Amino acid sequence: MAEFKTNVMRILEKEKIKYIAHEYPHGKEAVDGVTVATLMGQNPDYVFKTLVTKGCGRDYYVFVVPVSKELDLKKCAKSVGEKSVEMIPVKDINKITGYVRGGCSPVGMKKQYRTTYHITANSIPRIIVSAGKIGYQIDLNPQDLIALTDGQTADIVF
C-alpha cells in the first residue's frame, strides 16, 4: 500500500525540507489542538494551530500559535500594521484557504497570506502543524517553516 501524502508534505519534499509525519485517530469533525497533541503523545507547547483573520483593510492574515493559547486580536492587528483584525467565519475557511476547519496548514493555502508565528517558535526545537488534512500533522524545524511561508514572529497571544 502506498504511503499517504498530503499536498503540504509534497511541498516540503519539493523544497527539500525535512519533516516527520504524524497521524492521529480522528472522525470527520475537527477536535481541539490540545486533544490532537494528547492523541499524538506530543508536548502541546510544540503543537501549533493555524488561524485565519481578516483585517479592516480587507486583507487576510494567518496566525500560528500554540494549541493551548488564544489569539489576542489587538496584538495580532498591531503585528501586521492593521487597526483591527477579526477571525474569519468557519464557513469561509475552505473558500479562503483551500482547507477545512481542523486541517488548516500555514503551508499550501490557495494564496500565500502574510503569516505570523507566536514568538515562542523562535525558541522551540521543533514545531508541529497541520499537514492539511484532519488526522495528519507535520513536525519540522520552526525556522524552516517560518522561512518557507515568508513568516514573521510576534507576541500575539494573551
Side-chain angles (χ1 to χ4, degrees), residues 80-95:
V80 295
E82 283 275 4
K83 287 182 183 176
S84 65
V85 296
E86 60 183 30
M87 295 296 298
I88 63 168
V90 172
K91 67 179 180 57
D92 292 344
I93 290 173
N94 184 263
K95 177 177 70 174

Side-chain angles (χ1 to χ4, degrees), residues 77-156:
K78 185 177 179 186
S79 77
V80 295
E82 283 275 4
K83 287 182 183 176
S84 65
V85 296
E86 60 183 30
M87 295 296 298
I88 63 168
V90 172
K91 67 179 180 57
D92 292 344
I93 290 173
N94 184 263
K95 177 177 70 174
I96 293 164
T97 68
Y99 292 122
V100 297
R101 179 178 180 269
C104 192
S105 177
V107 176
M109 288 189 185
K110 285 182 174 181
K111 190 174 166 192
Q112 182 63 57
Y113 300 110
R114 186 164 174 190
T115 304
T116 304
Y117 295 81
H118 185 253
I119 200 159
T120 55
N122 287 328
S123 59
I124 56 176
R126 51 198 262 267
I127 188 169
I128 302 170
V129 296
S130 175
K133 186 170 175 67
I134 294 173
Y136 298 91
Q137 300 273 303
I138 51 167
D139 181 333
L140 66 160
N141 178 308
Q143 298 310 311
D144 289 344
L145 181 60
I146 292 167
L148 177 65
T149 58
D150 198 22
Q152 64 179 13
T153 60
D155 178 11
I156 53 175

Side-chain angles (χ1 to χ4, degrees), residues 30-100:
V31 294
D32 69 274
V34 174
T35 301
V36 169
T38 302
L39 288 169
M40 293 189 310
Q42 299 293 327
N43 181 338
D45 293 341
Y46 297 166
V47 182
F48 281 49
K49 57 189 171 185
T50 303
L51 304 168
V52 183
T53 65
K54 186 175 185 179
C56 58
R58 298 204 180 275
D59 288 330
Y60 294 104
Y61 300 95
V62 176
F63 294 97
V64 187
V65 299
V67 293
S68 62
K69 304 288 186 192
E70 293 299 321
L71 276 187
D72 180 325
L73 293 175
K74 287 183 179 181
K75 288 181 180 179
C76 289
K78 185 177 179 186
S79 77
V80 295
E82 283 275 4
K83 287 182 183 176
S84 65
V85 296
E86 60 183 30
M87 295 296 298
I88 63 168
V90 172
K91 67 179 180 57
D92 292 344
I93 290 173
N94 184 263
K95 177 177 70 174
I96 293 164
T97 68
Y99 292 122
V100 297

